[in-house]
Amino acid sequence: MKYLTLAAGVLGASAAWAETPELTVYTYDSFVTEWGPGPAIEEGFEAQCGCDLKFVGMGDGAALLARLKLEGARSDADIVLGLDTSLVAAAKETELFAPSELQAEYDLPIAWEDKVFVPYDWGYFAFVHGTDLDAPADFKALAESDLKIVIQDPRSSTPGLGLLMWVKAAYGDEAPEVWAGLADNIVTVTKGWSEAYGLFLEGEADMVLSYTTSPAYHLIAEEDDSKTAALFDEGHYMQIEVAGKLAGSDQPELADQFLQYLVSNAAQSVLPTTNWMYPAVTPEGGLPEGFKGMIQPGKALLVPNADVPALREEALNEWLTALSR
């Protein structure tokens, strides 16, 4: 009987020792769809890590941070993927993230010196529309037009928050007037990017807040050249998407391995034609052909990370006031 008990204990220990480690990554919904980068990145990383990579999709980027704040140190996540430069300062204030051990040569429009968050792709916000539309060349012209637009909620969506920063960076103290003019152009405000873009494709609006690279999807995946992005004279706001390791992760080394894989050629070559953004590290084969025809902003706008939290509250109040009239 003692022998049987001992044998059972040994077998149990062996089973526990042999258990496959699991890495949990919180991200936004579109990342984990069958057409998003999640499936290919999961397959590629699992092939080399000997682990189970588990993506958990939850809304849009801003919703990720809200969820993490709610869970705190009890969160099941090891990695959060899908925050951006507008959320970096707020994310650091939670003290839930740990520095990464990453080594990478980034191809970003700005120097990246942050030791906590790892950039994996970037792009410019823009209003996407059909090529048959005579598009406005700035926000004021858009406000004066009869065009209908769909945007995202800045409280739950990184594009929505990026739009607030875009208007604020371009117009400063004039931002409330711009929003007052835009209010009657807005058909609806969605929680995330996917819902907004879907409404645009269904014909519910003339333009949708998205990215300068979004038309590349239609061109490459659908051989459809009927979509383009409006080039605004006052410039376009830049978004750099990042991932970070949680300090409470029980798989810190595996988390670092994943962040390193995220900026590898294998992962970065997947992102342009699945996430439809510019990769943070240019793949060995370069960008897909369809990206060469995308509009190029004459001016890049970006509020310094440390200035975003205070400016966000001001811009959010201006936006809410304009839409409530």
Side-chain angles (χ1 to χ4, degrees):
M1 195 63 157
K2 289 181 180 179
Y3 171 80
L4 291 176
T5 302
L6 177 63
V10 171
L11 288 172
S14 299
W17 180 82
E19 187 176 347
T20 302
E22 181 177 274
L23 190 73
T24 301
V25 179
Y26 283 4
T27 188
Y28 45 84
D29 287 339
S30 62
F31 197 91
V32 297
T33 60
E34 60 181 355
W35 46 266
I41 289 177
E42 180 178 1
E43 181 180 1
F45 184 63
E46 287 184 344
Q48 71 175 45
C49 73
C51 68
D52 178 17
L53 177 59
K54 180 184 177 184
F55 281 118
V56 180
M58 48 182 69
D60 215 325
L64 290 174
L65 185 56
R67 171 70 174 268
L68 192 61
K69 287 180 177 180
L70 183 64
E71 294 181 348
R74 298 174 291 103
S75 178
D76 292 331
D78 300 293
I79 296 279
V80 172
L81 184 159
L83 305 179
D84 71 358
T85 35
S86 292
L87 294 171
V88 162
K92 285 185 176 180
E93 287 177 357
T94 67
E95 299 183 347
L96 294 172
F97 290 90
S100 71
E101 302 294 332
L102 186 79
Q103 299 294 326
E105 294 290 334
Y106 298 117
D107 296 313
L108 297 169
I110 62 172
W112 190 264
E113 299 175 350
D114 195 291
K115 301 300 182 183
V116 175
F117 291 100
V118 174
Y120 60 91
D121 67 16
W122 67 279
Y124 294 103
F125 293 116
F127 283 93
V128 173
H129 60 89
T131 53
D132 58 347
L133 182 75
D134 185 14
D138 57 41
F139 280 106
K140 289 184 176 180
L142 174 57
E144 292 169 0
S145 75
D146 294 326
L147 296 173
K148 299 304 179 185
I149 63 175
V150 180
I151 64 173
Q152 299 86 18
D153 193 322
R155 295 163 295 187
S156 57
S157 165
T158 51
L161 179 55
L163 179 59
L164 289 192
M165 295 298 104
W166 185 3
V167 173
K168 200 67 177 171
Y171 291 97
D173 292 340
E174 292 184 64
E177 299 171 23
V178 173
W179 278 116
L182 288 170
D184 61 355
N185 298 93
I186 300 170
V187 175
T188 190
V189 178
T190 65
K191 279 190 174 183
W193 174 88
S194 297
E195 301 97 317
Y197 207 82
L199 289 172
F200 164 69
L201 293 179
E202 291 169 7
E204 297 297 324
D206 301 301
M207 307 175 76
V208 61
L209 177 64
S210 193
Y211 299 88
T212 61
T213 48
S214 296
Y217 162 76
H218 302 284
L219 189 62
I220 296 171
E222 301 177 338
E223 297 183 352
D224 175 8
D225 61 0
S226 66
K227 307 292 188 299
T228 189
L231 185 62
F232 276 17
D233 295 336
E234 66 262 80
H236 288 250
Y237 200 79
M238 185 190 308
Q239 181 189 46
I240 300 174
E241 293 193 296
V242 301
K245 176 179 68 173
L246 293 191
S249 170
D250 59 0
Q251 298 288 346
E253 293 182 1
L254 196 57
D256 280 330
Q257 290 178 35
F258 175 78
L259 292 175
Q260 191 70 55
Y261 180 81
L262 194 59
V263 296
S264 70
N265 186 69
Q268 291 287 295
S269 61
V270 165
L271 290 170
T273 54
T274 53
N275 223 32
W276 303 100
M277 298 277 279
Y278 293 110
V281 180
T282 302
E284 294 172 3
L287 293 173
E289 188 68 26
F291 273 68
K292 296 179 181 178
M294 300 299 100
I295 66 166
Q296 297 299 319
K299 182 179 181 182
L301 303 173
L302 186 66
V303 174
N305 294 348
D307 297 342
V308 171
L311 198 61
R312 175 187 180 277
E313 294 308 312
E314 180 182 337
L316 182 60
N317 288 333
E318 293 168 352
W319 179 78
L320 288 169
T321 298
L323 267 63
S324 64
R325 289 175 180 170

